[in-house]
């Protein structure tokens, strides 16, 4: 009985010690917590993104941070309607010195103005709140921007120029990353030949004021995300016929219907995927080809 009591007391002490460690926070001075960015802009279709929070100084323990979210007039973004917050409480370790507030945007099909909300550090245990204490988040509408509306899943149908047989693939149209130089200028429809690394390269030219735009497939563009093994390092490049000869100069024009659910080409235009060595870019032959092309949006 005595041994049992001693063991129980020892376990209790360990339990208290563990609880005490869990509740420990930084005690070092001159430690400040703040938002890493004063402003963040995301697309409505972005989904999950992170708002970074950082520590400065030399903490000797974790810092516990609580944030609040607030609507910003005149076009407020409302929590649980236009976005979701995973948690408004985070713990930043002394080793990491950074943490994140996870947000998920809620996509819809309505055209609206950009919506805005603030994420503000409300309290910090183990640190002083510094500047900036607030990140202003702008959620940009996708549904009024033709460039973004073209993104999504499409069914691509065409005819094989050698066999005249019908071809059908499911393609995923995507933009480059928002910080890429080609964002707003190019779109990539991945899934050509049933392969995620092969794509149709679209060139986009839009007028933000009028909403008018043109969509083409320019010759001479890469059609693959990585180097392919043809017995040599190679890539696929878009090609077409110009004056009866294969060329990497020129383009295919296409038309997009008013509700942006169909993309059609001249039925007689042929798009080829030519094989070129990499990095020398020596032409080796044709890999694939399509004509009578059409894309129909699935979602």
């Amino acid at each position: 009985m005595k041994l049992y009591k001693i063991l129980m007391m020892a376990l209790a002490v360990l339990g208290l010690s563990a609880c005490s460690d869990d509740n420990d926070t930084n005690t070092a001075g001159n430690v400040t917590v703040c938002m890493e960015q004063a402003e963040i802009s995301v697309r409505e279709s972005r989904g999950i993104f992170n708002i970074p929070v950082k520590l400065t100084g030399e903490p000797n323990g974790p810092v516990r941070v609580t944030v609040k979210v607030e609507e910003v007039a005149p076009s407020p973004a409302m929590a649980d309607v236009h976005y979701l917050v995973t948690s408004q409480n985070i713990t930043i370790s002394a080793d990491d010195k950074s943490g994140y507030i996870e947000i998920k945007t809620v996509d819809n099909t309505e055209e609206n103005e950009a919506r805005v909300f603030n994420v503000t550090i409300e309290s910090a245990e183990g640190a002083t709140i510094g500047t900036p204490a607030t990140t202003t988040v702008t959620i940009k509408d996708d549904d009024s921007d033709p460039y973004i509306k073209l993104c999504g899943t499409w069914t691509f149908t065409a005819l094989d120029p050698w066999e005249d047989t019908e071809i059908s693939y499911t393609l995923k149209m995507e933009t480059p990353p928002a910080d890429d130089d080609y964002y707003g200028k190019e779109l990539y429809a991945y899934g050509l030949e049933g392969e995620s690394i092969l794509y149709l390269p679209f060139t986009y030219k839009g007028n933000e004021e009028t909403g008018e735009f043109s969509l083409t497939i320019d010759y001479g563009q890469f059609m693959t995300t990585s180097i392919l093994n043809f017995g040599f390092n190679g890539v696929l490049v878009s090609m077409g016929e110009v004056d009866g000869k294969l060329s990497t100069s020129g383009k295919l024009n296409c038309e997009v219907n008013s509700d942006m659910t169909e993309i059609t080409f001249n039925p007689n235009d042929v798009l080829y995927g030519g094989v070129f060595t990499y990095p020398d870019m020596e032409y080796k032959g044709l890999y694939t080809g399509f004509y009578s092309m059409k894309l129909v949006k699935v979602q």
Side-chain angles (χ1 to χ4, degrees):
M1 180 67 74
K2 186 176 179 181
L3 179 59
Y4 173 78
K5 287 183 177 179
I6 292 173
L7 287 172
M8 292 302 292
M9 289 175 65
L11 289 172
V13 171
L14 286 173
L16 287 171
S17 175
C19 291
S20 175
D21 288 343
D22 287 342
N23 290 325
D24 282 348
T25 55
N26 170 63
T27 58
N30 300 319
V31 175
T32 301
V33 62
C34 66
M35 293 302 201
E36 192 168 310
Q37 298 172 255
E39 297 180 352
I40 290 178
S41 179
V42 296
R43 289 285 180 182
E44 183 181 79
S45 59
R46 173 67 177 271
I48 295 174
F49 68 98
N50 293 320
I51 298 177
V53 183
K54 68 176 182 177
L55 298 181
T56 56
E58 297 300 328
N60 58 16
V63 172
R64 293 178 172 82
V65 179
T66 298
V67 301
K68 62 180 179 180
V69 293
E70 299 174 299
E71 301 172 10
V72 177
S75 181
M78 294 182 286
D80 299 325
V81 176
H82 304 121
Y83 66 93
L84 307 172
V85 184
T86 300
S87 177
Q88 292 177 227
N89 301 288
I90 62 170
T91 298
I92 303 174
S93 73
D95 293 331
D96 291 337
K97 297 178 71 172
S98 64
Y100 301 93
I101 304 297
E102 188 178 82
I103 308 286
K104 181 180 180 181
T105 57
V106 177
D107 202 359
N108 60 41
T109 57
E110 300 173 2
E111 292 191 12
N112 50 259
E113 297 293 326
R115 295 189 170 103
V116 185
F117 68 101
N118 284 338
V119 179
T120 301
I121 299 175
E122 188 173 36
S123 65
E125 187 179 352
T128 302
I129 300 174
T131 303
T134 297
T135 295
T136 298
V137 182
T138 301
I139 302 176
K140 294 184 177 180
D141 180 47
D142 289 342
D143 304 295
S144 58
D145 186 344
Y147 181 66
I148 301 301
K149 288 181 75 173
L150 286 167
C151 294
T153 303
W154 297 76
T155 297
F156 172 70
T157 56
L159 295 176
D160 183 303
W162 298 285
E163 302 291 337
D164 275 338
T165 53
E166 186 171 330
I167 298 166
S168 180
Y169 303 115
T170 298
L171 306 184
K172 183 69 177 295
M173 187 88 78
E174 297 181 6
T175 71
D179 58 353
D180 192 286
D181 289 341
Y182 291 101
Y183 183 84
K185 302 174 183 177
E186 294 186 353
L187 289 156
Y188 313 120
Y190 296 98
L192 203 61
E193 297 282 335
E195 299 290 341
S196 60
I197 62 171
L198 304 183
Y199 60 87
L200 292 176
F202 287 92
T203 298
Y204 177 92
K205 294 181 180 179
N207 185 317
E208 291 187 3
E209 294 183 359
T210 64
E212 296 178 349
F213 68 94
S214 65
L215 196 65
T216 61
I217 293 182
D218 293 357
Y219 302 151
Q221 303 299 308
F222 285 142
M223 299 176 69
T224 176
T225 61
S226 58
I227 308 303
L228 303 177
N229 183 5
F230 295 100
F232 54 87
N233 288 337
V235 292
L236 290 188
V237 174
S238 56
M239 303 181 72
E241 294 182 0
V242 177
D243 296 329
K245 297 180 180 180
L246 284 174
S247 176
T248 55
S249 298
K251 62 184 178 181
L252 292 180
N253 295 311
C254 56
E255 294 185 3
V256 182
N257 66 347
S258 58
D259 59 1
M260 303 186 69
T261 58
E262 290 187 4
I263 301 173
T264 54
F265 297 79
N266 183 316
N268 297 318
D269 286 343
V270 184
L271 174 67
Y272 295 104
V275 178
F276 287 75
T277 60
Y278 187 86
D280 298 332
M281 300 306 292
E282 178 185 348
Y283 175 66
K284 290 294 186 178
L286 295 177
Y287 177 81
T288 191
F290 315 96
Y291 78 99
S292 192
M293 295 178 289
K294 182 177 182 180
L295 289 93
V296 177
K297 195 168 192 182
V298 179
Q299 60 181 24

